[in-house]
Amino acid sequence: MFMMILGILFLIAAVAMAIILPKMNVGTKLVRVLAPCVVVIIAIACIAVSCVVTLEPGEVGLAYQLDGSKTQLQVGYNFIPPWARINEWNTTIQVFTFSQGEAEDDIYGAQTSEKDYIEAVATISVRINTEKMDEYVALYGNEQLSSARIQQMLKTMSREAIESSVNVKPTADVMANKKQVTTEAKDYLTKSMSELPIVLVSFTLDDLIAPESYEAAIRDQAQMRMDKEKATLQQEVNEQQALADKIKAEGDAKVKTTQAQADADVKRIEAENAAAVAKIEADNKAEVKKIQAEADAEVRRVQAEAEANEIKVKATAEAEAVVMQGEAEAKAIAAQGEAYKQNPQLIELKMKEIQAAVEQAWAEKWSGFSFEGMSGFNFANLTEILKGIIPNSTTVEMTPAE
């Protein structure tokens, strides 16, 4: 419109210049002709520019003629008569955040079934339904979705959607189930906006703010819960510490038991080794003693055999000597007996010698012994007497001569 007005002004200026300049005789003839022409060209350019309407993607435009008809504009450049009225709308998604204002009537929230007022903060995204542009124009004219009237309408409708969910729930349920409240409010708002030429894209409850009394109660409950959890945690810590101490004590006891067992095993092994060494030493000593005893026994046996052999040899020699001596004596006696046999008078002489020797021996042994009363003394008695007087003497039995 501005460019149209500017073009018209330039046309008026060109006409004025064409009339005034010749009369005032200003400049040359060429200048007086070219100046109005240039202004006319500028005017035409301004009017032409004002007739070109550019439509960006995501926009919808309508051109209304003087007779009331309308033309749908296309994305890009559109040539519209200068007398047509142009309306454009942004059809992209618009995002709005609604919350309670400072004014008394600018409320945004809902009462619970317990009459607690819950303040809300919500984000809503909408767009114009291009399939219902006629209805949109009929309801809102050339207003954009960002206009105050449409925003207030959306705020009111979204508040009513929140109320539909919050009004039937206790405060605790509302605060504990924000996701459910959001879903129910969105479903309600979608249904209520289904007849409007505005599409609901998304709805989110950013926050639900309970009254201070409820928040204080929640804080108190949270504090109590924290204190309880802290006490429970402390109890668990104490139990864990006690368990750790018990485990440590059991571990120490086990270590001590293991150490004691190890020490006992070491001592037992040392004792067994010492006993084994002692047994080996005793066995060795016993073996040595056994070998020594066997050697000594063998030596003694050899010595005994040698001694026995020596004694045997000696006895044999002595026996042989005795035999030889006996044989010699026997021969001597035999010879003597033969001599006595050949000479009987020698027997008498010998008897006298023996009697004299016996008497001398008796005299030496029984000095002062009386022989009175003895009678019947013969040769046999003499022999017995000689055996008692002369020990170890050799008695030769003499056979009377024939």
Side-chain angles (χ1 to χ4, degrees):
M1 182 61 68
F2 173 75
M3 296 301 294
M4 175 63 70
I5 295 173
L6 184 61
I8 293 173
L9 292 176
F10 274 113
L11 285 176
I12 295 172
V15 172
M17 291 175 64
I19 296 172
I20 295 172
L21 289 178
K23 291 181 178 181
M24 295 180 64
N25 197 21
V26 175
T28 62
K29 184 177 179 180
L30 181 60
V31 172
R32 289 194 297 267
V33 174
L34 289 177
C37 291
V38 171
V39 175
V40 169
I41 292 172
I42 294 174
I44 293 172
C46 289
I47 294 172
V49 169
S50 67
C51 292
V52 176
V53 176
T54 303
L55 200 63
E56 300 292 337
E59 293 182 337
V60 173
L62 293 176
Y64 293 92
Q65 306 297 332
L66 295 177
D67 57 1
S69 62
K70 59 184 179 182
T71 303
Q72 180 78 39
L73 301 181
Q74 303 298 321
V75 175
Y77 297 103
N78 296 270
F79 184 79
I80 303 300
W83 54 84
R85 179 169 56 89
I86 306 299
N87 287 335
E88 297 178 7
W89 297 270
N90 186 351
T91 59
T92 59
I93 297 174
Q94 305 291 307
V95 179
F96 307 106
T97 298
F98 300 134
S99 61
Q100 190 157 299
E102 296 181 356
E104 294 182 358
D105 59 345
D106 190 9
I107 61 173
Y108 196 76
Q111 280 187 330
T112 66
S113 62
E114 297 173 343
K115 305 304 179 182
D116 289 324
Y117 180 75
I118 304 296
E119 183 179 342
V121 177
T123 298
I124 184 174
S125 59
V126 294
R127 65 176 178 81
I128 297 174
N129 189 348
T130 56
E131 296 178 358
K132 296 182 178 181
M133 280 304 301
D134 293 341
E135 186 178 350
Y136 182 87
V137 172
L139 291 174
Y140 310 112
N142 61 349
E143 292 186 50
Q144 301 291 336
L145 291 176
S146 59
S147 67
R149 185 166 74 96
I150 294 178
Q151 285 197 47
Q152 185 61 44
M153 179 198 68
L154 294 174
K155 185 175 183 179
T156 300
M157 295 181 70
S158 62
R159 186 184 72 242
E160 292 174 353
I162 296 172
E163 289 175 348
S164 68
S165 177
V166 172
N167 288 161
V168 297
K169 291 181 175 59
T171 306
D173 289 349
V174 172
M175 301 305 298
N177 298 285
K178 293 182 180 179
K179 185 176 181 180
Q180 181 182 357
V181 173
T182 300
T183 302
E184 293 175 354
K186 181 180 179 181
D187 292 341
Y188 183 92
L189 184 59
T190 301
K191 184 177 180 180
S192 63
M193 291 181 61
S194 61
E195 301 299 328
L196 295 178
I198 300 174
V199 177
L200 176 65
V201 179
S202 66
F203 176 81
T204 304
L205 274 175
D206 301 325
D207 196 9
L208 290 174
I209 305 170
E212 183 60 29
S213 59
Y214 178 80
E215 295 293 339
I218 293 298
R219 285 194 298 270
D220 292 341
Q221 291 179 2
Q223 186 63 42
M224 291 175 62
R225 186 168 55 253
M226 289 177 61
D227 293 341
K228 181 178 179 180
E229 290 177 355
K230 184 177 180 181
T232 303
L233 180 61
Q234 185 62 45
Q235 181 180 359
E236 291 178 357
V237 170
N238 295 338
E239 291 176 353
Q240 291 295 328
Q241 184 63 43
L243 180 60
D245 294 340
K246 179 182 177 182
I247 293 173
K248 184 176 183 298
E250 291 176 351
D252 294 340
K254 188 172 182 180
V255 169
K256 291 180 180 179
T257 302
T258 304
Q259 185 63 42
Q261 185 65 39
D263 294 341
D265 291 340
V266 169
K267 291 181 180 179
R268 178 179 58 78
I269 293 171
E270 289 178 350
E272 291 176 354
N273 292 338
V277 171
K279 184 176 182 300
I280 293 171
E281 291 179 352
D283 292 343
N284 291 337
K285 290 180 180 179
E287 188 68 21
V288 170
K289 289 181 179 180
K290 179 181 177 182
I291 294 171
Q292 290 178 350
E294 291 176 352
D296 293 343
E298 184 67 18
V299 170
R300 287 194 296 271
R301 186 183 64 78
V302 172
Q303 289 178 350
E305 288 179 356
E307 290 176 357
N309 189 41
E310 183 181 356
I311 292 171
K312 180 179 179 182
V313 173
K314 185 176 180 181
T316 302
E318 289 177 354
E320 291 178 354
V322 169
V323 170
M324 292 177 66
Q325 184 178 357
E327 290 177 353
E329 289 179 353
K331 289 180 179 182
I333 291 171
Q336 188 176 10
E338 186 65 30
Y340 287 154
K341 183 178 179 182
Q342 296 297 327
N343 302 292
Q345 65 273 14
L346 289 176
I347 294 175
E348 295 179 359
L349 180 61
K350 186 64 176 178
M351 291 299 293
K352 290 180 180 181
E353 289 179 359
I354 292 171
Q355 186 176 1
V358 170
E359 290 177 353
Q360 184 179 353
W362 282 354
E364 291 176 358
K365 187 172 182 181
W366 290 290
S367 179
F369 185 78
S370 176
F371 290 93
E372 294 180 0
M374 297 181 64
S375 63
F377 182 81
N378 55 33
F379 185 77
N381 294 338
L382 178 61
T383 302
E384 293 297 328
I385 293 170
L386 287 176
K387 287 180 180 180
I389 296 174
I390 307 174
N392 300 324
S393 65
T394 303
T395 303
V396 179
E397 184 179 358
M398 299 184 66
T399 305
E402 296 180 357

